């Protein structure tokens, strides 16, 4: 469901921000002290006084929503529709009657605040990679503008404007991870598989040569299929989950008409959050979205 009541009332939006922001208790965002008392109000937001540093703050202070003349309910609607429905920023510009530059800067600020995924692989794990055409987008201060996706065919790297994106599907926990990388190399793969619960981790891959060193490492039990030979599944050995997730990630990036490689990580973190809240009710989904950035 769509949490309409939150988006039409500034008071409800402020109450939700207060609930999510201080879910673990109120503290001073400057000195981190918990000796805080209520100290009037600032517009619809509760105001506080820190007894340690003698400074005042409100529910918006230190969040991605502070210092904005745009109503909080509009920002809630923007981040909710962006994460839940992958609404383009141009469409949000029209729907919210807020300039594109303002929408872009605030949404980018929200994306940068999203938490990085925390790995704790149970195994067995599927791992696969796909490549995104992403170069420099927009006007650069010290170089030419809109130079992007000038890549060659085949596997690419970050410097070639075709960075790899790894998909990890943990069959033990059911978690999916989407992580961009500079290059698809052995060192990158080992780093991605380092945080695991078992000393010997079963890994399912395709026939890409960067995975071959795992065969000689006792820390991994590698099983693989060779797509070039027409082999896509051998019992439990396949990377079909990763390939399905990769197709969803490509679809997520498509409406944004070319993502800069420097901002690829925040966009993919937004995709990961989108998958997390996809089946949640509206109010619960909005709370989860806000908790990741507050």
């Amino acid at each position: 469901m769509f949490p309409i009541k939150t988006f039409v009332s500034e008071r409800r939006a402020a109450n939700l921000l207060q609930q999510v922001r201080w879910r673990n208790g109120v503290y001073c965002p400057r000195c981190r002290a918990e000796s805080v008392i209520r100290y009037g109000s600032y517009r619809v937001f509760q105001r506080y006084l820190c007894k340690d540093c003698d400074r005042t703050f409100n529910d918006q202070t230190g969040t991605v929503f502070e210092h904005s003349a745009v109503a909080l309910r509009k920002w809630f609607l923007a981040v909710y529709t962006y994460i839940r429905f992958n609404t383009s920023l141009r469409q949000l510009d029209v729907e919210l009657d807020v300039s594109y530059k303002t929408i872009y800067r605030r949404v980018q600020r929200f994306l940068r605040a999203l938490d990085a995924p925390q790995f704790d692989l149970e195994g067995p794990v599927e791992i696969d990679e796909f490549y995104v055409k992403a170069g420099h987008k927009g006007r650069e201060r010290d170089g030419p503008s809109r130079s992007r996706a000038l890549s060659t065919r085949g596997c690419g790297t970050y410097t070639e404007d075709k960075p790899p994106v790894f998909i990890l599907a943990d069959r033990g926990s059911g978690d999916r991870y989407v992580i961009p990388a500079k290059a698809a190399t052995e060192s990158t793969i080992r780093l991605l598989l380092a945080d695991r619960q078992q000393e010997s981790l079963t890994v399912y891959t395709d026939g890409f040569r960067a995975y071959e060193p795992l065969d000689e490492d006792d820390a991994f039990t590698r099983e693989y299929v060779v797509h070039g030979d027409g082999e896509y599944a051998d019992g439990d050995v396949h990377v079909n989950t990763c390939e399905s997730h990769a197709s969803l990630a490509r679809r997520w990036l498509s409406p944004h008409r070319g993502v800069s490689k420097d901002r690829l990580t925040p966009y993919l973190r937004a995709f990961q959050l989108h998958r997390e809240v996809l089946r949640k009710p509206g109010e619960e989904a909005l709370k989860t979205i806000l908790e990741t950035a507050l």
Side-chain angles (χ1 to χ4, degrees):
M1 296 179 62
F2 207 75
I4 298 177
K5 292 182 179 179
T6 303
F7 300 142
V8 298
S9 170
E10 190 71 0
R11 176 69 65 179
R12 284 179 177 270
N15 290 340
L16 180 59
L17 176 65
Q18 183 183 55
Q19 178 184 347
V20 174
R21 173 81 188 278
W22 311 121
R23 58 191 180 276
N24 296 320
V26 183
Y27 61 89
C28 177
R30 295 182 177 89
C31 68
R32 317 300 290 185
E34 297 182 359
S35 54
V36 172
I37 61 173
R38 293 175 180 266
Y39 195 69
S41 62
Y42 172 71
R43 294 188 298 186
V44 295
F45 304 102
Q46 177 63 51
R47 195 178 181 207
Y48 307 91
L49 172 66
C50 176
K51 289 186 175 181
D52 279 18
C53 64
D54 201 32
R55 292 184 178 182
T56 61
F57 60 95
N58 60 70
D59 293 328
Q60 276 190 314
T61 305
T63 72
V64 297
F65 304 112
E66 71 172 337
H67 303 314
S68 175
V70 178
L72 180 65
R73 57 187 175 83
K74 287 191 175 184
W75 288 131
F76 279 8
L77 179 60
V79 298
Y80 179 83
T81 55
Y82 178 83
I83 297 295
R84 193 71 182 264
F85 307 115
N86 197 19
T87 307
S88 71
L89 301 186
R90 288 293 183 187
Q91 187 63 33
L92 289 175
D93 169 18
V94 175
E95 299 295 340
L96 300 180
D97 192 25
V98 179
S99 71
Y100 173 78
K101 285 186 177 180
T102 301
I103 288 282
Y104 175 82
R105 289 170 181 168
R106 192 64 58 162
V107 170
Q108 286 295 324
R109 185 176 175 182
F110 175 83
L111 295 182
R112 289 193 298 270
L114 295 180
D115 296 330
Q118 300 295 321
F119 292 88
D120 189 18
L121 303 175
E122 295 182 15
V125 175
E126 297 178 34
I127 183 170
D128 196 18
E129 79 289 336
F130 68 98
Y131 298 86
V132 179
K133 291 183 178 180
H136 293 294
K137 181 180 178 182
R139 184 170 301 281
E140 302 294 331
R141 290 184 177 181
D142 302 320
S145 63
R146 299 192 71 83
S147 172
R148 65 181 183 186
L150 304 176
S151 57
T152 58
R153 294 184 61 186
C155 299
T157 63
Y158 183 89
T159 56
E160 295 172 349
D161 293 339
K162 199 173 183 181
V165 177
F166 282 90
I167 307 289
L168 276 74
D170 189 350
R171 295 186 184 179
S173 64
D175 293 329
R176 309 285 185 268
Y177 304 98
V178 185
I179 307 98
K182 296 291 185 179
T185 60
E186 176 191 350
S187 60
T188 301
I189 294 168
R190 289 184 179 277
L191 183 63
L192 293 174
L193 299 174
D195 295 325
R196 56 185 184 272
Q197 296 183 9
Q198 305 175 14
E199 292 184 4
S200 181
L201 182 68
T202 300
V203 182
Y204 300 134
T205 75
D206 58 14
F208 183 41
R209 61 181 179 272
Y211 300 115
E212 293 178 358
L214 300 181
D215 292 331
E216 303 173 0
D217 193 332
D218 294 336
F220 303 100
T221 301
R222 181 197 176 217
E223 300 183 48
Y224 60 94
V225 291
V226 183
H227 294 167
D229 295 340
E231 185 181 19
Y232 294 93
D234 183 8
D236 291 335
V237 183
H238 61 79
V239 290
N240 295 341
T241 308
C242 291
E243 292 184 346
S244 175
H245 210 64
S247 68
L248 295 175
R250 288 193 182 97
R251 193 181 306 170
W252 170 267
L253 295 173
S254 178
H256 305 291
R257 301 183 63 83
V259 176
S260 168
K261 61 184 179 182
D262 297 330
R263 294 185 173 89
L264 183 59
T265 296
Y267 276 95
L268 292 177
R269 288 182 184 173
F271 166 71
Q272 188 128 356
L273 180 57
H274 162 75
R275 299 301 302 175
E276 181 181 345
V277 303
L278 185 62
R279 301 298 180 186
K280 291 185 177 183
E283 191 72 26
E284 183 182 349
L286 179 58
K287 286 183 179 179
T288 302
I289 291 170
L290 295 177
E291 285 174 359
T292 59
L294 294 176

